[in-house]
Amino acid sequence: MPDKVLDDISHRRYNPLNGSWLLVSPHRTKRPWQGQQEAPSKTKLPSYDPKCYLCPGNQRAQGDSNPQYQNAFAFVNDYSAVKEEQQEYKPEIKEDDVASLLLQAQPATGRCYVLTFSSKHDTTLADMSAKEILPVIQTWSRIYASHLSPSHPLKAEAAHVLETIPANADGEVDPPKKQLRYMQIFENKGAAMGCSNPHPHCQIWTTSTLPEEPGKEMAQMTKYKAEHGRHLLQDYAKLEAEKGERVVWQNDAFLVVCPWWAVWPFEVLVIAKRHVRALIDLTDDERLQFAEAIQEVTRRYDNLFETNFPYSSGLHQAPLDCTEEEAEASWFHMHFYPPLLRSATVRKFLVGYEMLGEPQRDITPEQAAARLRDCGGELYRKSLE
Amino acid sequence: MPDKVLDDISHRRYNPLNGSWLLVSPHRTKRPWQGQQEAPSKTKLPSYDPKCYLCPGNQRAQGDSNPQYQNAFAFVNDYSAVKEEQQEYKPEIKEDDVASLLLQAQPATGRCYVLTFSSKHDTTLADMSAKEILPVIQTWSRIYASHLSPSHPLKAEAAHVLETIPANADGEVDPPKKQLRYMQIFENKGAAMGCSNPHPHCQIWTTSTLPEEPGKEMAQMTKYKAEHGRHLLQDYAKLEAEKGERVVWQNDAFLVVCPWWAVWPFEVLVIAKRHVRALIDLTDDERLQFAEAIQEVTRRYDNLFETNFPYSSGLHQAPLDCTEEEAEASWFHMHFYPPLLRSATVRKFLVGYEMLGEPQRDITPEQAAARLRDCGGELYRKSLE
Ligand SMILES: [Zn+2]
Ligand SMILES: [Zn+2]
């Protein structure tokens, strides 16, 4: 079996989802460490922090106050990376003009939301049960549905979601007047990831343009479908379920793997097993199964080094405004990119060769998956209380 | 002038060198900061540290001792990311077999060196004069020349370098028997970049494969040349020199700019003004001018926030083993990727949306260039001594 050799030799692996290579150096895990260590996060947080701009009832930077919300509460980010209204920008494009070729820009508009996961300041997804995570997924689904283009191939699914999932009792956000192209839902957790607030929350950036990463994935998935007649992630989920060595956990609807091409030490990919194009394709039962998958990943992460595990995570799915072909090429999945490497205090940096050459990892995804499979027990914090 | 609008509106800019887009949010620089701050690096280092594995005379991890070297001393990294000898890996590739498509790997061999910049533990490039940096560039040039393929289009230039630049008196490294494809010279500086040793040094990774980043750049530069008959970086350097607003500094041979598509707040690109394909194309005088450019960048960086400025930097040039066409498409340049944003203690993280969506920056490259133009005086530390 030639694959076993890869446990010992330096090699490159290909990421078919975004079309790039990375370097794997499994022999290098014995290297000593003299550099920066992250401080273990021992601080016990209060369940309500009067200074937190996300806690219920508190005032935010621009003066608005949060309601006494229960779970998943969304509001427009006071410091959005994109604006809804701005001056026009229409550069004059001249054929073969050097400035038109090398100084290309395009306007980007949109709206950014913040969405809390819980009213409790000290709660994380790892602390919550699948049933407690469900309202988050329901809110994601309703926000996605309400922002979908009226001519979208999934408009019937969107209508169904808005009819059958009860409106968020804490209030909902209306979509902007101008139709936007993509909705990026992501969570950034922990000081190691530069996150400024421990209150559990995610961000939702909706933009007039399709961002690079989902754009590259869409192109790769479309090409694969055209060449092989099957979906890339359909084939991949089936193959990984058969191989087993990179599987962390699964239920009927979702497969959790450390992907073959993982860049981050304990990177995880959650893949829908059937052709789910977007959140609004999920059935009631699948939404609960998705909550279960998120619970399993985040609890295992915290158990791995017995710490509040930092990560960035996010959903990739069909654009808000897209063609029939783009919707068909989309395959719902969630990425988790965590920086920790060997303990709560040793992190990986994507620097040096990784910036100038290509990403590089030491432990193999197979070793990472084995460790995550082995730490599925009760959340380590429960027995400390 | 439509470009002025970009100071105020959110927009995307295109990086023609690697073919990707990033999001620019200039209106967002007023955002408050509650997150992690980097500790200012006030510690005064000794000029010799008996525990440093890079200081002259000291013993390294695997038992070898450093000679009493003077300047640029190179040795094989004891924990190389690639190995020279390893088991063979020849996966069976089956047409339209899912595993062959989705679990692609290729063996990677090579050799990694460490190269000191100075025998003094507490010296950085910013502290050194251009004349003191010159031996580093000479050593880079000789190592590159000695590792070049015997059939390389630049073999005459390599021979000339090995004849005319005196051999490093502290000893030289012999190339491995097997011809390698690419040599990535890079520096990783500062604890914020995960660098484990403050002793000034760079790394040189030579690999049997062309890494992603120079590979993408090569593809983009080749395409531009074919379409427009001129070199991408030739056109770009000329255009930026005319525009001026992103120029930090220049001499006859090199232009230093904050590129139009910069991802990092104070990212800098050093571009050869004439068609230099690799280090060995540089004349004696151009090598000194390159040293001068490096000195200008690193001193300005340290002056900007009056701190020992962290960064990753690296050279991109012709592969060690390449075709006539690849050598012709190559255009010598150096990237500087520094993480600091607003002060010695506030850094940018490439996380969240930047991992899931696309890179995003707040201050514009034009604003960054203006600040770097303005801090070219004497190194701030000199007047503190
Ligand atoms: Zn994705
Ligand atoms: Zn480059």
Side-chain angles (χ1 to χ4, degrees), chain B residues 17 217 269 316 333 335 337:
Chain B
L17 199 51
E217 292 186 354
L269 185 63
H316 283 152
H333 62 276
H335 299 276
Y337 301 129

Side-chain angles (χ1 to χ4, degrees), chain A residues 17 213-214 217 269 315-316 333 335 337, chain B residues 356:
Chain A
L17 199 51
E213 278 304 309
E217 292 186 353
L269 185 64
L315 311 181
H316 283 153
H333 62 276
H335 298 275
Y337 301 129
Chain B
L356 277 312

Side-chain angles (χ1 to χ4, degrees), chain A residues 10 12 14 25 27-28 36 79-81 86 96 104-106 108 191 212-213 228 260 312 316 352 356-358, chain B residues 10 12 14 25 27-28 36 79-81 86 96 104-106 108 191 212-213 228 260 312 316 352 356-358:
Chain A
S10 49
R12 297 171 95 205
Y14 181 64
S25 314
H27 62 281
R28 212 167 171 232
Q36 184 176 351
Y79 300 95
S80 292
Q86 60 185 17
D96 210 46
Q104 288 184 50
Q106 56 181 215
E212 271 298 297
E213 278 304 309
H228 307 288
W260 171 260
S312 285
H316 283 153
L356 277 312
E358 65 192 18
Chain B
S10 49
R12 297 171 96 204
Y14 180 63
S25 313
H27 61 281
R28 213 170 171 230
Q36 185 176 353
Y79 300 94
S80 292
Q86 60 184 17
D96 211 45
Q104 289 184 48
Q106 56 182 215
E212 270 299 296
E213 279 304 309
H228 307 289
W260 171 260
S312 286
H316 283 152
L356 277 312
E358 66 192 17

